[in-house]
Amino acid sequence: MGRVSRRIGKSSETVATTADGTGGGVLDAFIHDYFQRSGNVPSVPGIIISGHTATGGVISDYTSGSDVYRAHVFTSSGQFDVTSIGVLGSTVDFLVVGGGGGGGRSYGGGGGAGGFRSSVVAPGGPGTSAESALPISAQTYTVTVGGGGAIQASNGLGNNGSVSTFSTVTSEGGGGGGALPSPVPGNGQPGGSGGGGSDNPSGRPNPGGTGSRAAGTSTSKPTQGYPGGDENATHPSPGGYESAGGGGAGGAGGTVTGGNPGAGGAGGLGKSCLIAGPANDGVGYPGPSPGRWFAGGGGGSGYNTSPVASGKGIGGGSGGPYAGAGDGAAFPNNGSVNGSSAGANSGSGGGGSQPGGDNHGYAGGSGIVIVRYKIAEIAAQAKATGGAISYYGGQTIHTFTTSGSF
């Protein structure tokens, strides 16, 4: 039988790892696999690889301190297929955001954001509590990414968003914004976050839709979202047909009280999440703190009976900050200010509209599902003493808070 390989130096069956990591033996490619299976090929120094093995979505690997994470980003429905469980725990982190509600047409309120549930949220800011990571096993999990509420092209309420799901986690779609006429005149729809109430020529206040909790009315679970703003005008104020903003994952929609001119209510604040990975991966919206922001409420519509110098009236309400939410429209006598739909995969609510201009309620943004788990640890080693020793990005850090020796 012919030889399939040869070596130079010591046999790799008995080799001891040297300082440079070579081990002292040189093998050809054919026999390398044999020694790898027998467990005698030294591993790459400094990295311990032992995470789950899974497929599905768009996969992105990144480091955070000494940990290496893998994120599976689902911008549309699919499957998360786990083939083996690693030794770095048997759970996964998650972000599940429902589709945002659409804004109402004709004196429309802003759409509410889709429900927001996550095991990883950014420190500080609204909604800082997080749920527990999910236990998983070797199986296939169905992932559903909810669509945003569609454009409302006829008189009536904004369309609700659809639910997003992963494993045992369900995030509701956002509630549509109120509008006239509608089955329940002017009231915002309930949802993950509630839609904003619309103005009512009869002067009757129109409340925003209620937000939802992760388990119905249970207060033991994190809030998915907040209510839409109320339209609290108590008299028919000509030209004062402004409407309220939709609720967001981090705060309620802006309430309005009537008057001329009247600006629409602002959308509720979104919520930040640290799960998505590097800032340049195109997922979510940068905010004022670490992480990415999702699920802001849509802005309500505004109105102005008096011309202004620019030919534009009082603007509609702005969408929920840092969450890509749609802005509301405005309707002056001599021109229209159009609103906007929410960004795709933001889970944010669409803007409400006034008669004139585009004259339709704007669409909510589709939801998103992200699954994350640790796949490796970078085992940096200290080669000196002194101070408090920590590790970040494969580097060793010595921190001195008092005088000492290095």
Side-chain angles (χ1 to χ4, degrees):
M1 180 176 178
R3 296 181 63 181
V4 296
S5 66
R6 68 188 184 92
R7 63 168 176 80
I8 301 173
K10 297 172 68 176
S11 167
S12 287
E13 293 285 352
T14 59
V15 70
T17 304
T18 58
D20 63 1
T22 62
V26 179
L27 303 176
D28 69 20
F30 295 103
I31 201 65
H32 179 274
D33 183 57
Y34 165 76
F35 287 125
Q36 187 175 45
R37 291 196 304 270
S38 68
N40 289 290
V41 175
S43 61
V44 178
I47 299 179
I48 303 171
I49 301 176
S50 49
H52 308 321
T53 302
T55 59
V58 177
I59 298 175
S60 172
D61 294 347
Y62 63 96
T63 59
S64 178
S66 61
D67 297 326
V68 183
Y69 288 101
R70 175 163 293 161
H72 296 248
V73 180
F74 292 86
T75 56
S76 60
S77 299
Q79 292 183 329
F80 179 64
D81 188 14
V82 182
T83 55
S84 66
I85 302 298
V87 300
L88 298 175
S90 58
T91 62
V92 293
D93 288 317
F94 64 90
L95 168 69
V96 180
V97 180
R105 177 183 184 269
S106 184
Y107 314 116
F116 179 108
R117 295 184 63 181
S118 180
S119 60
V120 184
V121 293
T128 56
S129 61
E131 300 184 55
S132 299
L134 288 175
I136 61 168
S137 59
Q139 61 174 297
T140 297
Y141 295 86
T142 298
V143 175
T144 303
V145 175
I151 287 175
Q152 175 58 277
S154 60
N155 287 342
L157 298 170
N159 293 299
N160 287 359
S162 301
V163 300
S164 293
T165 61
F166 168 67
S167 185
T168 58
V169 178
T170 297
S171 291
E172 296 186 24
L180 295 177
S182 63
V184 182
N187 293 358
Q189 295 278 74
S193 286
S198 75
D199 196 61
N200 191 328
S202 69
R204 180 175 62 250
N206 291 316
T210 56
S212 174
R213 290 186 177 273
T217 59
S218 171
T219 58
S220 64
K221 296 289 186 178
T223 300
Q224 285 194 29
Y226 286 79
D230 297 334
E231 192 285 318
N232 285 330
T234 57
H235 63 281
S237 175
Y241 297 135
E242 73 275 19
S243 296
T255 294
V256 293
T257 58
N260 177 29
L269 185 68
K271 187 178 286 188
S272 180
C273 182
L274 290 170
I275 198 172
N280 62 354
D281 65 4
V283 176
Y285 299 85
S289 68
R292 234 63 51 75
W293 291 70
F294 301 88
S301 59
Y303 193 93
N304 183 9
T305 58
S306 302
V308 292
S310 65
K312 302 291 187 182
I314 288 291
S318 61
Y322 316 115
D327 295 333
F331 181 56
N333 280 354
N334 60 336
S336 296
V337 179
N338 294 325
S340 63
S341 295
N345 302 119
S346 67
S348 299
S353 78
Q354 282 283 1
D358 287 346
N359 197 20
H360 59 68
Y362 299 91
S366 53
I368 193 168
V369 173
I370 302 176
V371 182
R372 185 191 78 167
Y373 49 90
K374 190 189 300 184
I375 60 170
E377 294 177 342
I378 301 173
Q381 295 182 347
K383 296 179 175 61
T385 60
I389 300 175
S390 60
Y391 307 99
Y392 181 83
Q395 304 296 317
T396 305
I397 302 169
H398 295 253
T399 303
F400 291 85
T401 57
T402 60
S403 300
S405 299
F406 178 62

